[in-house]
Amino acid sequence: MIKSLKLVLSDPYLKPYEAAIQGRYDYAANKELELTAGMPLKDFADGYLYFGLHKTDTNWVFREWAPNATAIYLIGDFNNWSKSENYRLSSLGNGNWEGIFPLDAMKHGQLYKLLVEWYGGAGERIPSYAYRAVQDERTKVFSAQVWAPEKRYEWQCKNFKPSSEPLFIYECHIGMATNEEKVGSYTEFRQNVLPRVKQLGYNCIQIMAIQEHPYYGSFGYHVSNFFAASSRFGTPEELKALIDAAHKMGIAVIMDLVHSHAVKNEQEGLGNFDGTPYQYFHAGARREHPAWDSLCFDYQKPSVLHFLLSNCKFWLDEYNFDGFRFDGVTSMIYRSHGLGEDFRGYGDYYNLNQDGDAICYLTLANKLIHQVKRSAITIAEEMSGMPGLAYPIKDGGIGFDYRLAMGIPDFWIKMIKEVKDEDWKAGHIFYEMTNRRADEKTISYAESHDQALVGDKTIIFRLIDADMYWHMQHGSSTFMVDRGIALHKMIRLITASTINGGYLNFMGNEFGHPEWIDFPREGNGWSYKYARRQWELVDNQDFYYADLNRFDADMIHLLEQQKRFNQLPIEQLWDKEGDQVVAYKRGKYVFVFNWNGQKSFPDYGFLAPEGEYRVVLNTDAKTYGGFELTDDSVHHFTQPDPLYQADGKGWLRLYIPARSAMVLELCNSDK
């Protein structure tokens, strides 16, 4: 029993649920002891060092967990894919199987599978701990591949630690990061995209679709092989070279980790692996996810916890990732998967709809990850707002470093779709950007990959629509283009400048990439046309895309100049609903927004800390595709007012063009 839960002390509304939160804490502590018998959690999660295929100095060793199997054979290039006693595994008990083979039994690059037999049946399977799986181009069938290059990758940038806060995350997908209509590679991303990320100022990339998945169009969310880096994009060494290069640039690398569900495929994945449908997954009605056409892990089983925790450690240890964005956390922590739930009050978080075993797993995963790498970053993709998700475990939380502020992109979609420009309330926008639990850090974003998929629209497409096809070249803009470009910058600036943790942008959205993301599928003739990034658009200085890209870079670099910007208090200075103007101060910066599309305001005054100010960023600057209606070389001085001098404030008077925002810096300020 912990004396007092800081989580509850920080939020009195949680007091009625203190017993439930305490029970959650105790359950995770007891489960850890049950699993580890007192050893450090990081020493327990070594499954990848034991299971799977390993080459030693004297032989090959292969191990697998398949409790329902009656016999297991290795079949592959080395034995003409035939069942052979020379490649038969022996039972070790407790569902574990082992085979020890001479060094000439197989070699690097050969393909193989398991032939698993059980009472009443048999099937070919890819090992659960397969380090690499590859797809035959002709048959589209996946096989495991022996991966034991003579020389292991040698890391050049050792002991890398992510930059101090805030996090500026560039969410990306390796395959669609190329300009060509094809699947891009790790090497191409390293050579062509990483320099762009560095130039933009982002200090972290979040890579999607790393874990192997049979269907490219799943965006990597239907995982089949949890320990295999997707071979579509290249080799393990090429992925390591990408991560190494990012670290040399000072860029952290986190990956989307999908532990919320698994693909239903049997030959490629874990479904029915040993002839039972419940080896890794729930039995009965809870086995299949009702919305995702996938299988749901049973987090109560010790062997499943061992598998998933080992997977967390594997990516940190083997590939030197700096952390994870956990996918589908809402689906994990509620028995309903969050489907049809409103989550209107605290009672909705403690109404027996919660999956205590999944919450326990996430708690242990966060503890493990930070034991393995103290500087690791963990982010929860969670939309219900469960209190304590991004709160220290020792204080009653689940232990994530950040949670995604998923309500912000939903808010922007609703505003753009449903509210007329003249009805946009500046104070309401500011409230929505800052409405969060004060003691949990979030990652704010205006849009991610979710808003770019077919069936949805990016912000720029919602704002400009068909005019994007004909009027994005300088000199040919329309009202829709001018409005869209202006709001695109303002939306990003207010989202990024109000963070309390970090900011995220999806690859290409920084410059208003046109159209949607549509992966090759039968419905589009298996085309890659929309599963790529048109970098030539942003590289062409005749297009407004280059201007938006320039603004994004200058915005990120400006916010990065103030260390731990996200931890600075946000002081609202002004909010006048009729004018649609809001201003706030953060550190040495004052942010001023005029959301009014009809009125520019000359000599507009609001109270600000006394002093001399200079404009350091203006969305209306010509270099950002604006009209440059102000002279930003002019410095601005506050005018004293006896009523407010005791507070150290005076009237700051500015010309604020319609639909624009500016950032002013208090000169000679060390605040």
Side-chain angles (χ1 to χ4, degrees), residues 459-620:
I459 284 176
I460 198 73
F461 225 158
R462 289 186 185 280
L463 292 170
I464 299 179
D465 207 7
D467 279 15
M468 287 198 74
Y469 293 113
W470 314 106
H471 300 287
M472 286 296 284
Q473 191 166 1
H474 292 158
S476 68
S477 68
T478 62
F479 168 78
M480 289 291 287
V481 170
D482 292 339
R483 169 183 174 268
I485 287 174
L487 288 177
H488 193 268
K489 292 174 288 187
M490 293 177 70
I491 286 170
R492 275 163 163 69
L493 180 59
I494 198 168
T495 303
S497 62
T498 52
I499 57 175
N500 78 331
Y503 172 75
L504 178 143
N505 164 71
F506 178 67
M507 175 179 67
N509 285 356
E510 71 276 5
F511 66 83
H513 195 284
E515 299 179 319
W516 50 84
I517 298 168
D518 187 14
F519 278 85
R521 55 188 173 85
E522 189 175 0
N524 66 15
W526 303 103
S527 169
Y528 288 88
K529 182 177 181 180
Y530 299 110
R532 61 191 181 102
R533 297 285 88 174
Q534 299 178 56
W535 300 113
E536 78 276 5
L537 295 176
V538 69
D539 292 338
N540 189 332
Q541 296 301 312
D542 291 334
F543 289 154
Y544 287 111
Y545 301 110
D547 303 334
L548 292 175
N549 191 74
R550 199 156 30 244
F551 172 78
D552 196 81
D554 287 353
M555 177 186 75
I556 297 297
H557 284 296
L558 180 72
L559 299 181
E560 277 188 323
Q561 286 178 17
Q562 193 149 51
K563 193 174 182 180
R564 301 193 183 280
F565 172 82
N566 57 300
Q567 297 181 17
L568 298 173
I570 304 173
E571 178 188 355
Q572 187 171 358
L573 302 176
W574 192 260
D575 169 24
K576 193 165 184 181
E577 184 176 312
D579 295 341
Q580 295 181 275
V581 173
V582 66
Y584 52 92
K585 175 183 177 295
R586 196 161 200 188
K588 62 184 178 181
Y589 297 134
V590 169
F591 299 84
V592 186
F593 290 80
N594 177 14
W595 296 95
N596 198 313
Q598 306 297 321
K599 295 181 182 177
S600 296
F601 296 102
D603 202 31
Y604 194 94
F606 59 88
L607 289 166
E610 289 183 329
E612 176 186 354
Y613 290 85
R614 66 185 184 99
V615 176
V616 290
L617 189 70
N618 191 336
T619 64
D620 193 47

Side-chain angles (χ1 to χ4, degrees), residues 318-392:
E318 181 65 29
Y319 284 93
N320 212 11
F321 276 100
D322 299 297
F324 308 102
R325 177 260 204 190
F326 277 73
D327 173 67
V329 170
T330 305
S331 177
M332 296 173 71
I333 63 179
Y334 297 102
R335 290 177 177 269
S336 65
H337 302 293
L339 302 173
E341 303 284 346
D342 289 333
F343 302 104
R344 295 181 179 274
Y346 278 33
D348 294 333
Y349 304 122
Y350 308 99
N351 60 3
L352 302 182
N353 178 33
Q354 292 67 41
D355 187 332
D357 293 305
I359 293 171
C360 174
Y361 163 66
L362 291 170
T363 305
L364 296 179
N366 275 292
K367 185 172 184 177
L368 164 76
I369 290 163
H370 292 100
Q371 277 186 7
V372 174
K373 186 174 285 193
R374 291 184 63 183
S375 62
I377 300 159
T378 59
I379 304 170
E381 189 221 16
E382 206 284 310
M383 49 74 60
S384 78
M386 175 178 275
L389 194 69
Y391 204 80

Side-chain angles (χ1 to χ4, degrees), residues 54-61 100-105:
H54 302 278
K55 185 179 183 180
T56 73
D57 292 338
T58 57
N59 51 41
W60 292 92
V61 180
I100 300 176
F101 311 102
L103 287 176
D104 61 0

Side-chain angles (χ1 to χ4, degrees), residues 77 81 109-113 124 126 132-145 212-214 225 231-232 267-268 528:
D77 292 338
W81 295 92
Q110 289 184 317
L111 303 182
Y112 73 103
K113 289 184 181 181
E124 294 182 0
I126 293 179
R132 181 167 168 82
V134 296
Q135 187 177 28
D136 184 278
E137 291 186 8
R138 183 179 60 83
T139 65
K140 305 304 180 186
V141 172
F142 276 86
S143 301
Q145 187 173 34
E212 192 60 85
H213 44 291
N225 311 110
S231 59
R232 283 187 181 87
Q267 288 198 23
E268 293 94 348
Y528 288 88

Side-chain angles (χ1 to χ4, degrees), residues 270-448:
L270 300 175
N272 209 40
F273 186 84
D274 67 352
T276 58
Y278 47 79
Q279 180 184 354
Y280 287 93
F281 309 106
H282 284 290
R286 295 189 65 193
R287 183 174 187 262
E288 295 194 18
H289 196 291
W292 293 350
D293 191 34
S294 56
L295 303 178
C296 301
F297 286 106
D298 185 347
Y299 303 102
Q300 185 177 15
K301 294 181 176 180
S303 293
V304 172
L305 292 176
H306 185 236
F307 177 81
L308 295 175
L309 290 171
S310 296
N311 193 235
C312 293
K313 184 179 177 182
F314 168 79
W315 292 106
L316 297 173
D317 185 35
E318 181 65 29
Y319 284 93
N320 212 11
F321 276 100
D322 299 297
F324 308 102
R325 177 260 204 190
F326 277 73
D327 173 67
V329 170
T330 305
S331 177
M332 296 173 71
I333 63 179
Y334 297 102
R335 290 177 177 269
S336 65
H337 302 293
L339 302 173
E341 303 284 346
D342 289 333
F343 302 104
R344 295 181 179 274
Y346 278 33
D348 294 333
Y349 304 122
Y350 308 99
N351 60 3
L352 302 182
N353 178 33
Q354 292 67 41
D355 187 332
D357 293 305
I359 293 171
C360 174
Y361 163 66
L362 291 170
T363 305
L364 296 179
N366 275 292
K367 185 172 184 177
L368 164 76
I369 290 163
H370 292 100
Q371 277 186 7
V372 174
K373 186 174 285 193
R374 291 184 63 183
S375 62
I377 300 159
T378 59
I379 304 170
E381 189 221 16
E382 206 284 310
M383 49 74 60
S384 78
M386 175 178 275
L389 194 69
Y391 204 80
I393 296 169
K394 63 182 179 62
D395 297 327
I398 297 176
F400 284 98
D401 297 304
Y402 305 89
R403 65 192 312 156
L404 288 180
M406 299 184 71
I408 292 179
D410 291 343
F411 166 76
W412 285 123
I413 290 171
K414 186 177 179 66
M415 286 288 286
I416 296 169
K417 282 179 64 176
E418 302 177 11
V419 184
K420 295 179 181 178
D421 288 17
E422 56 266 31
D423 294 329
W424 284 29
K425 294 178 171 54
H428 177 57
I429 293 173
F430 176 80
Y431 170 79
E432 290 291 341
M433 296 299 105
T434 56
N435 180 26
R436 57 206 169 208
R437 299 184 64 81
D439 51 6
E440 296 189 46
K441 292 185 292 187
T442 59
I443 302 295
S444 299
Y445 58 107
E447 54 186 343
S448 69

Side-chain angles (χ1 to χ4, degrees), residues 140-326:
K140 305 304 180 186
V141 172
F142 276 86
S143 301
Q145 187 173 34
V146 177
W147 201 257
E150 290 186 11
K151 189 175 181 181
R152 288 178 58 85
Y153 183 83
E154 293 185 13
W155 295 95
Q156 302 299 307
C157 186
K158 299 176 181 178
N159 303 316
F160 171 83
K161 290 184 179 179
S163 303
S164 58
E165 295 181 339
L167 273 181
F168 293 103
I169 302 173
Y170 196 80
E171 183 187 33
C172 49
H173 183 283
I174 300 296
M176 61 173 290
T178 175
N179 197 73
E180 300 174 61
E181 294 186 25
K182 65 170 191 174
V183 177
S185 70
Y186 297 124
T187 299
E188 288 170 324
F189 188 95
R190 172 174 58 83
Q191 295 173 341
N192 303 328
V193 182
L194 267 183
R196 295 179 183 272
V197 177
K198 178 65 176 178
Q199 186 177 31
L200 286 166
Y202 289 86
N203 55 23
C204 179
I205 57 173
Q206 174 184 309
I207 310 182
M208 307 174 65
I210 289 295
Q211 294 168 294
E212 192 60 85
H213 44 291
Y215 179 44
Y216 186 50
S218 74
F219 230 139
Y221 290 122
H222 275 193
V223 173
S224 52
N225 311 110
F226 286 79
F227 291 83
S230 181
S231 59
R232 283 187 181 87
F233 314 134
T235 67
E237 285 66 39
E238 288 166 344
L239 173 56
K240 291 175 183 179
L242 187 165
I243 295 169
D244 212 4
H247 287 169
K248 289 178 186 177
M249 295 180 182
I251 298 172
V253 186
I254 63 177
M255 64 176 277
D256 267 7
L257 190 70
V258 184
H259 284 180
S260 48
H261 62 137
V263 74
K264 292 168 70 174
N265 301 37
E266 295 182 3
Q267 288 198 23
E268 293 94 348
L270 300 175
N272 209 40
F273 186 84
D274 67 352
T276 58
Y278 47 79
Q279 180 184 354
Y280 287 93
F281 309 106
H282 284 290
R286 295 189 65 193
R287 183 174 187 262
E288 295 194 18
H289 196 291
W292 293 350
D293 191 34
S294 56
L295 303 178
C296 301
F297 286 106
D298 185 347
Y299 303 102
Q300 185 177 15
K301 294 181 176 180
S303 293
V304 172
L305 292 176
H306 185 236
F307 177 81
L308 295 175
L309 290 171
S310 296
N311 193 235
C312 293
K313 184 179 177 182
F314 168 79
W315 292 106
L316 297 173
D317 185 35
E318 181 65 29
Y319 284 93
N320 212 11
F321 276 100
D322 299 297
F324 308 102
R325 177 260 204 190
F326 277 73

